[in-house]
């Protein structure tokens, strides 16, 4: 029962991280520059508690140059561990894909747009829905997830691309 409750609670925080990999510089082929390893820190804000620091590592694999990628994400805080995988596609300015978090067995869909380097997306699962804004500049990514009414009401993460 506790695991099921925790999965619904952190599901929003987990799924917002899916879109970190879909952070382009422009609306043209965008995923090529993401290939490799990224890492960083951020915060998660539960609706009923203080902000908690989180550390993340992401590995991106471009599967179709400029238009398709997979990602493997691992994040940890003092209280939680998240292991996430995702497939993201871009067609024109439209983004779509799916995600799965293996620690808590949650998954769902990603829908959004990429216009002039700004990602605006909605993430949905059986127990969660969130709005995400993402931007990448050179070797730095940042995003903000907002999910009013959810247990994890806000997540903000900053990532930097690791040198080869």
């Amino acid at each position: 029962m506790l695991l099921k409750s925790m999965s619904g609670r952190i599901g929003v925080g987990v799924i917002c991280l899916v879109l970190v990999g879909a952070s382009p510089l422009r609306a043209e082929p965008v995923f090529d520059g993401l290939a490799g390893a990224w890492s960083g820190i951020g915060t998660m804000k539960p609706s009923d508690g203080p902000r908690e620091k989180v550390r993340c590592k992401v590995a991106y694999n471009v599967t179709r140059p400029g238009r398709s990628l997979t990602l493997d994400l691992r994040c940890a805080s003092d209280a939680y561990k998240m292991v996430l995988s995702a497939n993201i596609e871009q067609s024109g300015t439209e983004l779509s894909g799916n995600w799965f978090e293996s620690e808590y067995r949650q998954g769902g869909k990603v829908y959004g747009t990429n216009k002039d380097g700004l990602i605006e997306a909605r993430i949905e699962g059986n127990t969660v829905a969130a709005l995400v804004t993402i931007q990448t500049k050179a070797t730095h990514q940042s995003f903000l997830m907002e999910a009013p009414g959810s247990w994890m009401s806000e997540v903000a993460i900053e990532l930097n691309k690791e040198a080869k």
Side-chain angles (χ1 to χ4, degrees):
M1 179 72 174
L2 177 61
L3 180 59
K4 189 172 186 178
S5 174
M6 285 179 64
S7 69
R9 287 181 176 179
I10 71 164
V12 171
V14 172
I15 62 173
C16 76
L17 300 176
V18 169
L19 287 179
V20 171
S23 302
L25 294 170
R26 59 195 181 282
E28 297 156 11
V30 296
F31 295 137
D32 299 346
L34 296 177
W38 296 68
S39 61
I41 60 171
T43 60
M44 298 187 297
K45 171 67 174 95
S47 60
D48 62 352
R51 290 187 189 283
E52 184 169 337
K53 290 183 182 180
V54 63
R55 298 164 309 282
C56 299
K57 287 190 172 278
V58 184
Y60 299 105
N61 180 31
V62 176
T63 56
R64 197 175 72 193
R67 299 293 181 203
S68 179
L69 68 82
T70 62
L71 69 88
D72 291 301
L73 172 113
R74 296 179 183 277
C75 289
S77 71
D78 290 340
Y80 304 108
K81 178 181 176 185
M82 298 175 271
V83 179
L84 181 82
S85 61
N87 296 299
I88 306 291
E89 300 277 337
Q90 180 168 332
S91 178
T93 60
E94 300 296 314
L95 297 174
S96 62
N98 56 62
W99 61 272
F100 183 74
E101 200 289 322
S102 60
E103 288 288 311
Y104 301 97
R105 299 197 181 274
Q106 295 284 311
K109 300 283 184 190
V110 176
Y111 307 94
T113 59
N114 166 23
K115 294 181 181 175
D116 299 323
L118 176 65
I119 298 285
E120 295 179 315
R122 180 171 175 86
I123 313 169
E124 298 177 348
N126 288 338
T127 60
V128 294
L131 298 176
V132 178
T133 303
I134 303 168
Q135 193 161 22
T136 297
K137 292 182 180 179
T139 60
H140 181 79
Q141 294 180 335
S142 63
F143 79 86
L144 173 65
M145 181 280 304
E146 297 173 295
S150 294
W151 178 80
M152 191 61 63
S153 63
E154 181 181 293
V155 176
I157 298 176
E158 302 291 327
L159 294 165
N160 291 298
K161 192 170 187 178
E162 296 176 0
K164 289 184 178 182

